[in-house]
Amino acid sequence: MNILVTGGLGFIGSHTVVELTANNHEVIIVDNLSNSKIEVLDKLHQITGRRPAFHQIDVTDETQVEDIFLTHKIDGVIHFAGLKAVGESVSKPLEYYYNNLVSTMVLSKLCLKYDVGKFVFSSSATVYGDQPSPLKEEMALQKTTNPYGETKAISERILTDVSQANEGFSVSLLRYFNPVGAHESGLIGEDPHGIPNNLMPFVTKVAKGKLEGLSVFGNDYETVDGTGVRDYIHVMDLAEGHVKAIEKLSSGVNIYNLGTGRGISVLELVKAFMQVNHVEVPYEIVERRPGDVAICFADAGKAEEELGWKAKRSLEDMVRDAWKFEVNNS
Ligand code: NAD
Ligand code: UFG
């Protein structure tokens, strides 16, 4: 297939481009580089031996996106492009609603106009709100605690309504849990601007000595050791999930959790990181972070049953590959 990948130079998009190419799909990347670097294109070339088509455009700009639909024959869209910092979305709600919702509307509108019937969307486990894990696709969604989360819930709704109104337009809403790690080459990985908000990139920067110490947000949750529990998933497993999702897309609206089904605590992750990589990660316990839930992990059964996809990589793989990328790229 010829697949338009929006946000294809970002963290999850770039790893998915590697897997799509390995499975003989032609990839057309669009990205405005607001949270990625053009050098990723060279790295993708180095890893796959093929240079994907790339256009530096903004996916909220309908004229620019329409040019792509006119220039390339497109069979499907995987829409990663979006703003994703939860805290920033609280202080800049309009930027988040505009970027994340207009992009989804522009792309789905052009898919209808140019008869593109396959659409895969990056959603998030955040749409479940604070419900008991394991989280299942059929659970009712809860109001999220921040504008970022709302953009995911509203985009899901928009795509569902568009699909229900247009028989040939099928969508897959992929609810990611906590993507971490990097491609095993160490050439591409997670490279956030500024001080990372998320646990794994923070840990790698502390281990490298770029940040002084990790603050562990709370140790009084009802969990194995009191620290927050999440479903960390290797980004290459996630990438493989996207290939299956677009190749096996059934008609209508399809919703899948992409997680491992296993919860890991903050301290379990930090200890595995130190043990596997033989590095120190100094940490201290601080207050809980507002808005955090205690436990969040997937029921990953539906994706396995319907897509034949299952996360294969271990926590050791995740911490080793995340560290390899940090060491290679600093
Ligand atoms: P990322 O920031 O690394 O990648 C997003 C890419 O989209 C970046 O390269 C950025 O430059 C580009 N982009 C943003 N707005 C754009 C626009 N208007 N036009 C063109 N390009 C634009 O983020 P990621 O971690 O790879 O996340 C990809 C998607 O998955 C996002 O939609 C994110 O919300 C979602 N998601 C991520 C996580 C996570 O923990 N990383 C969890 C759940 C969902
Ligand atoms: N944590 C720390 N210290 C840090 C950073 C995080 O202790 O410096 C803890 C958090 O309290 C939480 C766990 O590490 O218990 C994971 O936190 P992250 O910020 O890495 O991830 P979240 O689960 O909060 O959120 C992530 C994405 C969201 C997405 C959500 C659900 O950042 O975009 O998963 O998919 F919505």
Side-chain angles (χ1 to χ4, degrees):
M1 283 187 269
N2 292 333
I3 300 175
L4 176 64
V5 180
T6 78
L9 296 187
F11 174 43
I12 306 169
S14 58
H15 291 80
T16 302
V17 166
V18 170
E19 273 309 297
L20 288 168
T21 309
N23 285 276
N24 297 316
H25 298 291
E26 282 297 326
V27 175
I28 303 120
I29 298 176
V30 293
D31 199 304
N32 66 0
L33 304 182
S34 60
N35 198 36
S36 52
K37 296 185 181 131
I38 190 66
E39 293 83 71
V40 173
L41 200 57
D42 295 328
K43 305 280 172 67
L44 289 172
H45 191 173
Q46 222 175 314
I47 294 169
T48 64
R50 274 156 73 183
R51 198 169 184 82
F54 171 69
H55 301 273
Q56 185 177 344
I57 62 158
D58 194 303
V59 286
T60 61
D61 183 328
E62 189 174 335
T63 313
Q64 289 189 326
V65 182
E66 185 154 15
D67 272 347
I68 306 295
F69 279 73
L70 288 167
T71 318
H72 298 272
K73 185 196 160 295
I74 295 168
D75 301 303
V77 174
I78 307 184
H79 179 30
F80 292 103
L83 299 175
K84 63 162 186 177
V86 172
E88 188 185 57
S89 78
V90 177
S91 55
K92 298 179 178 168
L94 202 50
E95 276 186 29
Y96 274 69
Y97 283 116
Y98 190 85
N99 194 66
N100 292 3
L101 298 182
V102 173
S103 58
T104 300
M105 289 189 281
V106 163
L107 287 161
S108 45
K109 181 178 170 187
L110 291 170
C111 282
L112 298 185
K113 185 165 176 185
Y114 291 95
D115 275 332
V116 177
K118 295 176 196 288
F119 197 104
V120 174
F121 176 66
S122 298
S123 189
S124 163
T126 194
V127 299
Y128 290 113
D130 191 4
Q131 305 192 62
S133 290
L135 297 161
K136 292 188 198 315
E137 289 86 348
E138 65 267 22
M139 282 176 165
L141 302 193
Q142 281 188 350
K143 191 176 176 342
T144 59
T145 52
N146 56 77
Y148 164 74
E150 281 306 291
T151 69
K152 293 300 173 191
I154 300 169
S155 287
E156 284 201 5
R157 178 68 201 268
I158 292 171
L159 291 167
T160 300
D161 290 346
V162 174
S163 176
Q164 282 170 356
N166 296 277
E167 214 184 312
F169 184 67
S170 298
V171 302
S172 193
L173 308 173
L174 302 181
R175 295 179 180 159
Y176 311 155
F177 282 70
N178 289 59
V180 295
H183 187 261
E184 60 180 13
S185 64
L187 288 170
I188 54 171
E190 189 171 12
D191 192 10
H193 291 319
I195 296 176
N197 296 300
N198 296 115
L199 180 62
M200 185 70 97
F202 205 102
V203 166
T204 62
K205 296 219 176 326
V206 171
K208 195 80 180 76
K210 290 179 180 166
L211 293 170
E212 223 169 84
L214 170 73
S215 297
V216 174
F217 298 137
N219 68 347
D220 55 354
Y221 289 108
E222 275 189 37
T223 62
V224 57
D225 54 22
T227 65
V229 164
R230 296 290 182 274
D231 187 339
Y232 297 96
I233 173 168
H234 196 293
V235 65
M236 288 307 295
D237 278 326
L238 198 63
E240 289 170 11
H242 286 75
V243 176
K244 293 281 188 221
I246 199 145
E247 285 180 347
K248 297 197 167 184
L249 185 61
S250 305
S251 63
V253 180
N254 306 271
I255 305 178
Y256 298 107
N257 286 338
L258 295 186
T260 64
R262 177 179 171 214
I264 304 281
S265 78
V266 175
L267 289 183
E268 284 172 337
L269 183 142
V270 171
K271 284 173 185 163
F273 191 96
M274 294 196 281
Q275 228 164 44
V276 170
N277 297 320
H278 310 291
V279 284
E280 281 306 308
V281 179
Y283 66 85
E284 61 167 341
I285 309 289
V286 300
E287 289 292 288
R288 290 181 178 192
R289 183 171 65 178
D292 272 356
V293 299
I295 300 178
C296 173
F297 64 90
D299 179 323
K302 188 176 177 212
E304 184 174 3
E305 204 173 296
E306 294 186 9
L307 301 176
W309 170 88
K310 194 175 173 211
K312 299 190 293 261
R313 294 163 178 84
S314 65
L315 179 60
E316 286 67 30
D317 296 327
M318 300 180 211
V319 295
R320 187 197 57 235
D321 293 339
W323 180 234
K324 188 170 183 186
F325 177 71
E326 179 66 41
V327 170
N328 273 0
N329 289 276
S330 46

